[in-house]
Structure formats: structure tokens, C-alpha cells
Amino acid sequence: MICHGVGYTEGFRPASLHDAYLALGAWGLPVSTRTTRVDDAPGALERIAYWGEHRHDVDHEIDGVVVKIDDVTLQRRLGQPREHRAGAIAYKYPAPRGADQTARHPGSTSAAPDA
């Protein structure tokens, strides 16, 4: 399990999601060591590109990244409808191509070499 956000809280009012992650980590809860706070859209685009190039360096498979509004007050003002989070957007990377892609999809047919 890795904590990726904060829901309902009592007595805990972090100003930013980054501050919440720091507190959760200090309390011994698992948080991602790969989160980065950026100040603008170009910074977010740079991180999206970085993880697109380094996605296979992660110890588990990733198919994209999520960009979130850091300011908790702004997140709440934007709202969080059940269908989607107004304060976050997911960026999905293109699916892998070739033999690697076939191996990841159960039920796909591929010719196995004779032994």
C-alpha cells in the first residue's frame, strides 16, 4: 500500500498535499518517494516526460502519472465529484509495443517456439 492522498480528517489540516505526504511519512505510513512538487505547467510537463522516459526504472509497472493540485483549499473549492477528481488529472503513456505487449495481456495468442 502507498498513500496517494488524504480523505476525511479530524484535527489534521495540511495546507498542501505535499505537507500531507510529509506528515504521513513521518507517522510511518508508506508514501511514494517519487512525488515532486512543481510550480507551473512547464514543470508538470517536464515530470510527465521524465517518467515517460524512466517508467521502466520503477520497481513496479506504471502506465502513467497523476498531476494533482497541491493546495488543499483549492482542491476543496474545485470539488471532488464521484466520477472524477476535479483537482487531479491522469496522464497515460502509450502502451508498450511488440513481444513485451503480448506477454502482458492474458489470453493473447502467440506462437511458442518448439523445445
Side-chain angles (χ1 to χ4, degrees):
M1 177 187 91
I2 296 178
C3 298
H4 288 287
V6 177
Y8 176 79
T9 64
E10 288 186 28
F12 176 58
R13 298 276 181 208
S16 70
L17 191 55
H18 181 77
D19 292 341
Y21 290 150
L22 292 175
L24 293 170
W27 296 336
L29 294 167
V31 293
S32 176
T33 58
R34 296 179 181 91
T35 59
T36 305
R37 184 190 313 191
V38 297
D39 294 325
D40 52 24
L45 292 172
E46 184 278 325
R47 298 313 299 163
I48 290 169
Y50 174 86
W51 285 114
E53 303 249 337
H54 294 89
R55 66 191 273 199
H56 301 292
D57 298 342
V58 180
D59 53 357
H60 56 83
E61 189 172 330
I62 65 170
D63 64 353
V65 295
V66 177
V67 177
K68 298 180 180 184
I69 300 289
D70 191 42
D71 184 292
V72 173
T73 301
L74 181 54
Q75 282 182 6
R76 290 192 177 114
R77 275 191 22 225
L78 290 170
Q80 295 185 1
R82 292 187 186 269
E83 302 84 41
H84 64 282
R85 293 181 60 122
I89 188 166
Y91 180 87
K92 299 294 182 181
Y93 297 116
R97 303 271 182 214
D100 187 45
Q101 184 178 17
T102 302
R104 294 174 191 229
H105 295 285
S108 63
T109 58
S110 62
D114 292 335

